[in-house]
């Protein structure tokens, strides 16, 4: 516990430094960035008619287990003695202490930040390398772009020969210096018209039969990811044993919601619909197997109900506190709205003081559709009794509000509810207009 606490303490100082040096199109293990941002960026790069037509799919073999300790200790902007002790501490496996000669522990608090730091430069240094060899107009024709999420990355290019003969050798040298290497089995060069898988999605450009209609880039859940998800659902249903219908629904719904929300930014409606049909068939078999001596009509009447405009819904009736009859139903994947995430600017960082207000506004706009964020706002609003934490005036739809961090995120403030308050937009500008942060007169409303 002491080591984890110390790692968390060092991470507070290390993360802002690594964030300021990170590649613009790196999205894994970074604040306010996600895999959905990588999807949005790739859509922006590949969807135009003049976009790159070839992609290098990069996968690093055993990345966390093979990072060079000497390179890491020489490069990391932190206490090198402490870092070396953490890296060389060893691992206890089945009661035996094993020496750690390379790599970082995947469960370590500081490991994701160190991993990001290891691969930083893959994008910027690659462009610098080609910029030193080519004039600007020639460089743009090569269409070299890098999008990375943790240790998975794709590099776009104008031709297969460019990626195979020039880019891949450079990437191999870049990784070798850090003690890691590309996986030959998973690294390949693909045409955008054949499609490639990245982060559980399939990216592919489709050519239309109409002669003047430009090719369309579609991003769908990949077959491998969809199959793995369905196998997981099938396993839960098969292993349900004597579980009641309500318990089975409670077990399945978090899995269904989590997978559907992950694929929310993609073109997933058809996949959602097809999976809903397969899950319905699986649940029907579950019900028939439990009552093999009863008629199918009686079983379907017991387990499947009409709810609103939907029929044949796997649900169990319940009674709420008001004595009204309600249903606990299986989550419908097709009901998940497709929401396109707004593209993140390349220079975005939560530690940027100069653009703090603009970045905070962008962050709130990107999170406003998320149920968890809306629940946070409701909790803060209730805690403040609907009043502004600065002026004490009422917060309404007409006045609007801002989700203000009491200790700025640029100063290391957290996203916990205790560090956030709702204030009027005008009050928010007043707070940030001065050189120092004023006290909130109605801060007593926060607790």
């Amino acid at each position: 516990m002491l080591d984890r606490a110390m790692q968390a303490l060092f991470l507070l100082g290390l993360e802002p430094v690594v964030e300021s040096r990170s590649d613009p199109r790196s999205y894994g293990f970074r604040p306010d960035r996600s895999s959905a941002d990588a999807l949005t960026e790739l859509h922006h790069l590949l969807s135009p008619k003049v976009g790159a037509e070839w992609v290098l799919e990069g996968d690093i073999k055993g990345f966390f287990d093979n990072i060079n300790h000497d390179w890491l200790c020489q490069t990391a902007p932190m206490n090198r003695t402490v870092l070396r002790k953490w890296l060389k501490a060893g691992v206890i496996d089945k009661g035996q202490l094993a020496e750690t000669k390379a790599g970082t522990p995947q469960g370590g608090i500081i490991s994701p930040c160190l991993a990001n730091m290891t691969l930083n430069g893959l994008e910027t240094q690659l462009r610098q390398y080609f910029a030193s060899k080519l004039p600007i107009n020639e460089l743009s024709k090569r269409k070299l772009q890098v999008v990375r999420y943790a240790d998975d990355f794709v590099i776009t290019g104008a031709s297969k020969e460019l990626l195979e003969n020039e880019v891949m050798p450079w990437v191999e040298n870049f990784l070798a210096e850090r003690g890691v290497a590309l996986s030959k089995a998973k690294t390949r060069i693909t045409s955008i018209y054949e499609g490639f898988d990245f982060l559980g999605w399939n990216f592919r450009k489709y050519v239309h039969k109409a002669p003047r209609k430009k090719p369309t880039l579609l991003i769908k859940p990949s077959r491998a990811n969809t199959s793995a998800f369905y196998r997981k659902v099938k396993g839960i249903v098969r292993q349900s044993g004597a579980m009641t219908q309500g318990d089975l629904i409670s077990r399945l719904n978090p899995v269904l919601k989590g997978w559907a929300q992950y694929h929310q930014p993609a073109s997933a409606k058809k996949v959602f619909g097809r999976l809903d049909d397969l899950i319905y068939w699986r649940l029907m078999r579950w019900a028939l197997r439990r009552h093999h001596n009863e008629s199918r009509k009686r079983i379907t009447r017991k387990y499947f109900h009409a709810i609103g405009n939907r029929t044949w819904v796997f649900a169990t009736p319940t009674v709420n506190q008001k004595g009204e009859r309600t249903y606990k139903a299986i989550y419908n994947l097709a009901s998940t709205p497709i929401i396109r995430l707004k593209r993140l600017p390349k220079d975005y960082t939560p530690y940027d003081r100069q653009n703090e207000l603009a970045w905070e506004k962008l962050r709130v706009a990107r999170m406003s559709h998320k149920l968890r964020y809306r629940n946070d706002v409701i909790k803060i609003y209730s805690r403040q009794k609907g009043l502004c934490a600065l002026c004490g005036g009422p917060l309404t739809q007409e006045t609007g509000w801002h989700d203000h961090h009491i200790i700025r995120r640029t100063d290391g403030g957290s996203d916990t509810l205790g560090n956030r308050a709702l204030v009027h937009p005008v009050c928010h500008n007043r707070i940030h207009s001065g050189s120092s942060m004023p006290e909130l007169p109605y801060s007593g409303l926060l607790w």
Side-chain angles (χ1 to χ4, degrees):
M1 290 300 293
L2 178 62
D3 283 343
R4 291 181 67 84
M6 288 296 292
Q7 285 190 20
L9 188 62
F10 272 89
L11 181 62
L12 290 175
L14 180 63
E15 187 175 65
V17 179
V18 174
E19 181 70 16
S20 66
R21 301 177 182 179
S22 292
D23 291 332
R25 294 190 176 98
S26 165
Y27 298 100
F29 305 135
R30 294 180 64 186
D32 298 341
R33 294 177 183 238
S34 66
S35 55
D37 291 305
L39 177 148
T40 304
E41 186 64 28
L42 278 172
H43 184 272
H44 172 78
L45 295 174
L46 298 173
S47 59
K49 189 176 181 180
V50 294
E53 296 185 359
W54 290 90
V55 172
L56 167 64
E57 305 169 58
D59 186 271
I60 301 174
K61 185 178 180 180
F63 174 64
F64 280 92
D65 298 331
N66 295 302
I67 299 175
N68 188 297
H69 285 177
D70 293 332
W71 183 91
L72 204 56
C73 291
Q74 292 171 8
T75 310
M78 62 173 288
N79 189 306
R80 295 172 184 176
T81 304
V82 174
L83 177 59
R84 186 171 289 277
K85 287 181 179 179
W86 283 338
L87 296 174
K88 299 293 185 182
V91 177
I92 297 177
D93 183 28
K94 298 179 181 179
Q96 298 293 323
L97 178 64
E99 184 182 3
T100 48
K101 297 180 180 180
T104 62
Q106 293 194 37
I109 294 175
I110 205 170
S111 294
C113 189
L114 294 175
N116 259 340
M117 188 192 69
T118 303
L119 291 180
N120 279 340
L122 182 63
E123 177 186 352
T124 53
Q125 291 181 28
L126 177 64
R127 289 189 63 83
Q128 289 171 5
Y129 170 75
F130 279 94
S132 64
K133 297 173 58 180
L134 301 168
I136 296 178
N137 59 337
E138 285 295 323
L139 180 63
S140 61
K141 291 179 182 179
R142 301 296 177 99
K143 302 176 184 178
L144 284 172
Q145 302 290 350
V146 181
V147 176
R148 178 168 65 86
Y149 185 90
D151 59 328
D152 294 324
F153 61 89
V154 295
I155 303 178
T156 65
S159 67
K160 183 178 181 179
E161 292 73 20
L162 170 68
L163 295 175
E164 190 173 22
N165 301 328
E166 298 185 58
V167 174
M168 190 179 287
W170 184 92
V171 172
E172 288 174 342
N173 291 333
F174 174 87
L175 296 177
E177 184 182 356
R178 290 150 177 79
V180 293
L182 290 173
S183 169
K184 294 183 179 179
K186 297 181 180 179
T187 300
R188 61 197 189 107
I189 298 172
T190 317
S191 168
I192 190 62
Y193 295 102
E194 295 176 13
F196 66 95
D197 290 349
F198 184 60
L199 302 178
W201 292 299
N202 178 261
F203 297 75
R204 184 180 175 184
K205 235 174 192 178
Y206 294 84
V207 179
H208 299 279
K209 292 181 179 179
R212 294 187 179 180
K213 199 169 183 181
K214 71 174 186 177
T216 304
L217 177 73
L218 289 183
I219 306 171
K220 306 176 184 178
S222 67
R223 287 187 178 182
N225 186 273
T226 304
S227 299
F229 166 71
Y230 181 64
R231 285 196 300 270
K232 184 175 183 179
V233 172
K234 183 169 67 174
I236 292 173
V237 176
R238 279 185 171 178
Q239 297 167 13
S240 59
M243 195 180 292
T244 64
Q245 184 185 16
D247 290 339
L248 179 59
I249 292 172
S250 297
R251 182 84 183 277
L252 285 173
N253 275 354
V255 176
L256 299 176
K257 287 181 182 178
W259 188 83
Q261 289 173 3
Y262 179 82
H263 292 286
Q264 211 171 22
S267 303
K269 276 295 182 182
K270 286 186 179 179
V271 177
F272 287 166
R274 187 167 70 250
L275 283 171
D276 278 331
D277 293 340
L278 290 172
I279 292 169
Y280 163 80
W281 175 80
R282 179 63 57 184
L283 294 174
M284 178 65 80
R285 287 192 63 187
W286 176 86
L288 293 173
R289 190 171 62 248
R290 288 170 68 92
H291 306 279
H292 57 275
N293 291 327
E294 296 186 20
S295 67
R296 186 185 184 97
K297 185 176 181 180
R298 186 173 179 181
I299 293 171
T300 53
R301 203 176 279 171
K302 176 180 175 66
Y303 289 103
F304 295 87
H305 305 271
I307 303 175
N309 296 327
R310 295 175 60 206
T311 57
W312 298 93
V313 181
F314 187 75
T316 179
T318 59
V319 179
N320 61 19
Q321 295 178 347
K322 297 179 180 179
E324 299 171 342
R325 181 184 174 93
T326 58
Y327 289 95
K328 182 178 183 180
I330 197 76
Y331 182 74
N332 183 35
L333 296 175
S335 67
T336 307
I338 302 301
I339 299 176
R340 309 297 182 190
L341 197 64
K342 190 173 182 180
R343 187 184 175 210
L344 198 66
K346 289 193 293 183
D347 57 344
Y348 172 84
T349 171
Y351 304 105
D352 182 4
R353 276 185 173 273
Q354 293 182 348
N355 299 304
E356 183 181 4
L357 281 175
W359 294 157
E360 190 67 22
K361 185 178 179 180
L362 173 65
R363 176 178 169 272
V364 171
R366 284 159 47 87
M367 294 181 63
S368 58
H369 70 279
K370 295 184 179 180
L371 182 61
R372 180 180 175 183
Y373 179 76
R374 282 183 281 179
N375 288 338
D376 285 352
V377 171
I378 291 171
K379 289 177 183 177
I380 300 172
Y381 183 86
S382 300
R383 186 182 64 194
Q384 296 179 197
K385 300 177 183 177
L387 302 178
C388 173
L390 184 68
C391 69
L395 294 167
T396 64
Q397 290 283 356
E398 288 74 23
T399 62
W401 59 75
H402 270 286
D403 184 1
H404 169 67
H405 286 75
I406 300 168
I407 300 176
R408 290 182 176 183
R409 301 185 78 214
T410 55
D411 295 331
S414 67
D415 275 331
T416 58
L417 297 182
N419 190 46
R420 288 156 63 186
L422 298 181
V423 294
H424 292 126
V426 175
C427 296
H428 196 237
N429 290 333
R430 285 173 53 196
I431 292 172
H432 287 273
S433 61
S435 58
S436 61
M437 294 290 286
E439 293 291 331
L440 297 178
Y442 291 85
S443 58
L445 295 170
L446 305 180
W447 297 277

